[in-house]
Structure formats: structure tokens, C-alpha cells
Amino acid sequence: MALPFLFEFWAHPHQLPPEGAWRSWVVLGGRGAGKTRAGAEWVRSMVEGARPRDPGRAKRLALVGETYDQVRDVMIFGDSGILQSSPPDRRPHWEASKRRLIWPNGAVAHTFSANDPEALRGPQFDGAWADELAKWPKGEDTWDMLQFALRLGEHPQACVTTTPRNAEALKTLLESPSTVVTRAPTEANRAHLAASFLEEVRARYKGSALARQELDGELLTDIEGALWTHALLDECRDANTGDFDRVVVAVDPPVSGHAGSDECGIVVAGVRMTGEVQDWQVHVLEDASIGAASPRTWAERAVEVYHRFQADRIVAEVNQGGALVEAVVRQVDGAVPMKSVHASRGKVARAEPVAALYEQGRVKHVPGLHKLEEQMCRMSLKGYEGKKSPDRVDALVWALTELVLDGQGGAKPAVRTL
């Protein structure tokens, strides 16, 4: 009967605390990834000794959740909570009137709500479990008060279990050098989840920022002054494409083709007229960008995509390569229609009118453009806030500029009749 309670025997790697002298251990995971069980078992590992009445490493713990009800119903009484995870001879007693758990060896855990950070002013602890920190209504204040309360024992620690959200308290915690992180998608715990649940949520939210956050456990952040946000891009996602009046392949080639060079941005987009001259819709159809490739390699990719989509032309920026860019494409296929474009303005100035098209609901994305969309969300009014160059975004901007902006800063699609 002891085997079900030997958590280390059957736990997933992301549910076990890392080694080292960390102050906070953050378990970032998708819905149902086993975060609550990881927190409950960590509490057990802190308070339990070798035998039921032997002392453990911690004597006084804080259990902090979004509300008192959440602490009680999820962290303590939940299916993966402390009581269900504990063997009968070590199971703590719940004192509802005092909102605390008491173990047979005398260890005590007090409960707190993130709605009332001042309640943490005064008590002191040698350990804490914080659940769903990214949802806390007064996250920063509550976390700060908890840090002041963690002052007992030789090395007080906190376990934080949460689905990632763009919350300042979580972002600050993750940036701390004393924080360690384990991550897991929802599928990591598939043995304990209904197969129909995974199939349904993956099908419904495939390719969305919500899936990356709630299922893959990714922390998605929108930077200040971003030209595109994750929420905006979620709204423009559409898998229904159909026929287009005009399709282009835009290429933003790197300066060189060695291992450390930038990516070659290659983006396919099409425009469809639906009525009057100004009644049109653009679809971004594929991000075929390729990294650290020779000129011949990226040219072959661009030509392959051109033929596959039966595009009208390849549009390529030639600021860096000049005549060489067109020459290398001609070596692959001399019959491909090409247009060379020059960047006379900065990246932000070129991207702003394109971003405006998204805000007007003029642009749709097929699912699966994760890398492109991540670069888009790092483009701000101050410039690109990411590593290297936003080549995928540059290619996108050239594609939409060619299709609908017509070089005049206004929405004026040049459309051919099929």
C-alpha cells in the first residue's frame, strides 16, 4: 500500500524539485500537467520525517492561492491536493476555524489569499507553496509580503505552481537568479487525462496563443508599444483560404550564408477581392523562412514556394545583396517573375502601415505561423526587441506592401483578373 505514496517512484521529471540552493522553484505547465500534485508532494517532502511523528525539514508553511476557497478546494481538498496525496498515517488535520493544516508531527501550514496580502505581515515561515501566482489579483504585493515572511530555518524555500500568464509578479520572479524553473505541456500528464479532452482542446485551439499558454505552458508577453499583440494575432487566425486574385512570395535575404548569419525571411501572402475596389482581404499563407542558408539554398526554397502556390512573382529586398539577389534566383529558375525592392525607410516605419491593416481586420493568418508571429510581437515603436534581425517580419511587410499598400501608404490593392 505504500507504493502509491512514493511520489519519486512515478513522478514526471518536471514534478520533482531541481537540485541546488534555489530560493524559489517555479513549475510552469499547461492545464492538467500535474502542477497541483507537484506542489502538494513538495509540501509533503518538506514537512514529513522518516516516520509519521518524526520532524521534517519545515515546521511552519504558508499555502497561498488566489482566494481562500481556492486554497481549500484545490490545494488542500482537491483530487491532487495535500490530503489526497498523503498516506493515512501522515495525513494532516484540517482546522477550518483557523484555516490551517496540522500534521501528526506538529508541522503546521497556514492558508492565505492573494486578495489580502496584509495577512502575511507578521507571520513567519520556513516554506511556502504558492498556487496559480499568475492569476493573483494583488500578485506583486502578495509575493513581496510572502518573501518577508520566509525567514525561518536555514534555507526557506517556496514552490510556485502556475499556468503562465503575462503577469508582472511572475515575470519578475522568473528573472530572479535564485529561481529555478521546470516546464511541461498538458500532454506530459496524458496518462491521467481523458483522451477526448486532449483531442478537443488541441483541435479547437490549434495554432493559437491561448494554446501555447494554457496547453504548452509558454509565457507569452506583449512588450510596451508592440505593433502586434498575441491577442490581435489570435483574432486574425483563419484556416479557410480558397482562391486568390494575386499571390506573392516575399524574400528578405541575409547578407551572408554562413552558420552565424541571419535567417532568410520567406513569406507567402495572397489577396482576394470580394466586391467593390476597396473590399478585399489578405491571407498570410506560409512562413517558409530558412536559417543559416547559402544563397543557393534560400533561392531554391523561394522558387519552390513560388511554384507550389502558383504565385505571381517573387518580391525580394536587395539593399544588402544588390544585383546578386536577383542573379542567384535566376540561376535556380530564369523564368520566375521578380521585383526588387529597396528599404528607404526604417523597419518600424515600414511595418506601421502593415500593422494598421491588422487592426482594421484586413489580414488573416493560417494556423501554424508561430515563429513569424513571435517576431511580430517583438516589433515595437522603439524597434525590434529580439535577437538578431526580424527577417520573417521584414518579408511579411514586403509581401503586404506589394499586395495592398502599393508603395503609397494607403490600402490600394493591385489585383489581376484570373
Side-chain angles (χ1 to χ4, degrees):
M1 292 296 292
L3 185 60
F5 300 102
L6 297 178
F7 189 63
E8 291 185 357
F9 179 78
W10 53 267
H12 300 298
H14 71 275
Q15 295 177 304
L16 298 175
E19 297 181 357
W22 45 268
R23 169 81 171 182
S24 301
W25 168 36
V26 180
V27 184
L28 283 181
R31 298 284 187 93
K35 302 184 299 295
T36 302
R37 189 58 184 267
E41 294 289 353
W42 179 81
V43 168
R44 282 191 57 204
S45 73
M46 292 292 288
V47 301
E48 291 181 6
R51 293 174 297 183
R53 296 190 178 276
D54 290 347
R57 288 180 292 164
K59 296 180 180 179
R60 300 175 67 178
L61 273 76
L63 305 178
V64 190
E66 182 182 4
T67 64
Y68 283 112
D69 288 346
Q70 287 287 325
V71 176
R72 182 193 63 217
D73 297 341
V74 177
M75 300 171 70
I76 296 175
F77 284 93
D79 291 340
S80 299
I82 294 171
L83 294 181
Q84 290 296 322
S85 303
S86 301
D89 60 343
R90 297 165 186 261
R91 189 165 295 153
H93 171 67
W94 169 243
E95 290 190 348
S97 60
K98 296 184 178 180
R99 291 175 175 164
R100 69 180 185 181
L101 284 173
I102 301 179
W103 276 264
N105 64 3
V108 180
H110 296 267
T111 64
F112 297 90
S113 165
N115 283 288
D116 185 17
E118 288 299 309
L120 284 160
R121 188 185 295 274
Q124 53 186 356
F125 308 97
D126 47 12
W129 173 22
D131 188 48
E132 294 297 353
L133 180 145
K135 290 176 58 182
W136 289 2
K138 299 180 180 179
E140 291 180 276
D141 291 341
T142 304
W143 183 254
D144 287 343
M145 289 297 99
L146 179 60
Q147 298 315 293
F148 287 119
L150 286 171
R151 56 181 185 264
L152 292 181
E154 295 182 2
H155 186 61
Q157 295 177 308
C159 173
V160 179
T161 53
T162 186
T163 301
R165 294 175 68 179
N166 189 15
E168 287 302 318
L170 178 59
K171 291 190 292 185
T172 301
L173 174 60
L174 295 177
E175 292 170 357
S176 172
S178 63
T179 298
V180 295
V181 183
T182 58
R183 307 171 187 270
T186 297
E187 280 83 355
N189 199 35
R190 65 166 60 246
H192 301 283
L193 302 172
S196 59
F197 162 75
L198 288 173
E199 293 173 2
E200 175 66 21
V201 295
R202 281 297 182 189
R204 176 182 289 269
Y205 301 108
K206 180 180 180 181
S208 70
L210 187 64
R212 294 171 62 192
Q213 173 179 283
E214 300 294 328
L215 300 178
D216 296 329
E218 292 186 37
L219 177 60
L220 305 179
T221 59
D222 293 325
I223 62 176
E224 183 178 356
L227 298 183
W228 292 275
T229 65
H230 292 96
L232 176 63
L233 294 178
D234 266 355
E235 292 177 0
C236 76
R237 201 161 284 110
D238 184 2
N240 299 314
T241 54
D243 297 327
F244 294 93
D245 294 286
R246 192 160 181 248
V247 176
V248 298
V249 178
V251 182
D252 183 69
V255 179
S256 60
H258 57 76
S261 64
D262 292 330
E263 295 177 314
C264 176
I266 304 175
V267 170
V268 187
V271 65
R272 178 190 300 116
M273 298 296 294
T274 57
E276 300 297 328
V277 175
Q278 292 298 323
D279 192 7
W280 50 268
Q281 189 80 57
V282 173
H283 268 75
V284 181
L285 302 172
E286 184 171 321
D287 174 15
S289 303
I290 185 171
S294 67
R296 177 79 184 190
T297 300
W298 62 250
E300 289 175 346
R301 171 71 68 87
V303 170
E304 182 275 322
V305 172
Y306 164 83
H307 285 295
R308 177 154 48 88
F309 280 89
Q310 299 181 348
D312 292 84
R313 66 170 55 172
I314 291 177
V315 180
E317 181 183 326
V318 297
N319 283 52
Q320 302 292 349
L324 177 63
V325 173
E326 183 171 352
V328 72
V329 174
R330 297 290 184 211
Q331 290 174 7
V332 177
D333 188 337
V336 172
M338 278 198 68
K339 178 179 179 179
S340 298
V341 291
H342 297 263
S344 59
R345 298 182 296 164
K347 295 181 185 297
V348 175
R350 299 198 310 271
E352 281 188 283
V354 173
L357 298 179
Y358 283 79
E359 294 176 351
Q360 296 164 12
R362 293 285 196 175
V363 187
K364 299 295 182 181
H365 278 202
V366 298
L369 304 178
H370 307 312
K371 292 184 178 180
L372 169 62
E373 293 175 353
E374 194 60 37
Q375 278 196 359
M376 293 172 69
C377 291
R378 292 186 176 277
M379 284 293 296
S380 76
L381 296 173
K382 297 179 181 179
Y384 181 62
E385 300 188 17
K387 297 179 180 179
K388 293 189 175 183
S389 177
D391 302 287
R392 298 168 190 263
V393 177
D394 286 341
L396 170 78
V397 169
W398 287 124
L400 269 64
T401 299
E402 169 67 17
L403 285 174
V404 298
L405 294 180
D406 200 25
Q408 301 177 18
K412 185 181 179 181
V415 180
R416 66 172 171 81
T417 302
L418 295 178

